[in-house]
């Protein structure tokens, strides 16, 4: 009975599959390819300069998903995007940091704050030491 019901709705299922494929393609086009990681880091550096956040170090971290999934079967679920954590160590005031994070999360590039640690700066109480991880999302090439 299940097979009969599925074959009776085959046209509707095919149309739904086609619509989902189109949605995935359009969403994938909004994300930069992974090769643009250096330009995303440069974009974050430019935002920091614009908001007067003083970056001390900025670098991509190895994705936990990458190292775990390399040894598992890849046929389980198709991968549409890849998230790459970018660690930033900086100094900023609260207002500068808030403006920076607002620009990061409202920008055209898909990114979000993953973790944030703020500690006091003993040399200047107005400034704070900031450690944050920003997740940047990249399109994964579709394999035929």
């Amino acid at each position: 009975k299940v097979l009969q019901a599925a074959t009776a709705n085959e046209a509707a299922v095919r149309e739904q599959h086609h619509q989902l494929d189109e949605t995935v393609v359009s969403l994938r086009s909004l994300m930069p390819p992974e090769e643009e990681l250096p330009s995303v880091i440069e974009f974050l550096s430019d935002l920091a300069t614009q908001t007067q956040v003083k970056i001390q170090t900025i670098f991509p971290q190895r994705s936990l998903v990458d190292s775990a999934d390399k040894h598992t079967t890849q046929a389980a679920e198709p991968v549409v995007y890849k998230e790459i954590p970018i660690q930033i160590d900086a100094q900023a005031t609260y207002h500068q940091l808030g403006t920076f994070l607002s620009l990061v999360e409202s920008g055209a590039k898909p990114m979000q704050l993953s973790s944030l640690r703020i500690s006091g700066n003993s040399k200047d109480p107005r400034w704070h030491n900031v450690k944050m991880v920003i997740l940047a999302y990249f399109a994964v090439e579709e394999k035929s």
Side-chain angles (χ1 to χ4, degrees):
K1 289 183 179 183
V2 173
L3 288 175
Q4 288 175 343
T7 55
N9 293 328
E10 181 181 359
V13 169
R14 286 187 187 272
E15 177 60 29
Q16 186 179 23
H17 183 266
H18 179 69
Q19 288 175 352
L20 287 173
D21 277 346
E22 287 179 354
T23 302
V24 167
V25 167
S26 69
L27 290 174
R28 185 178 277 139
S29 70
L30 296 174
M31 289 187 252
E34 190 176 354
E35 293 80 34
E36 290 188 26
L37 177 60
S39 68
V40 169
I41 290 174
E42 186 176 334
F43 171 74
L44 289 170
S45 296
D46 290 345
L47 286 182
T49 300
Q50 187 179 356
T51 57
Q52 299 177 357
V53 171
K54 297 176 184 174
I55 291 183
Q56 296 169 328
T57 60
I58 181 170
F59 58 92
Q61 295 179 332
R62 178 179 294 177
S63 177
L64 296 175
V65 175
D66 282 348
S67 56
D69 283 348
K70 283 187 180 178
H71 303 296
T72 61
T73 56
Q74 303 228 348
E77 189 176 312
V79 178
V80 178
Y81 68 90
K82 182 176 187 178
E83 75 181 27
I84 297 179
I86 300 173
Q87 182 174 329
I88 300 174
D89 297 333
Q91 289 188 336
T93 66
Y94 280 120
H95 293 288
Q96 292 165 342
L97 179 61
T99 304
F100 173 77
L101 292 175
S102 176
L103 290 174
V104 167
E105 291 194 341
S106 66
K109 299 185 186 299
M111 290 186 257
Q112 72 176 11
L113 180 66
S114 172
S115 70
L116 175 66
R117 192 171 85 201
I118 303 172
S119 58
N121 184 336
S122 59
K123 295 179 183 174
D124 187 352
R126 290 182 324 126
W127 289 85
H128 306 284
N129 298 322
V130 179
K131 288 186 179 283
M132 66 182 109
V133 176
I134 294 177
L135 295 178
Y137 297 93
F138 296 90
V140 173
E141 269 190 46
E142 190 173 4
K143 295 177 181 151
S144 346

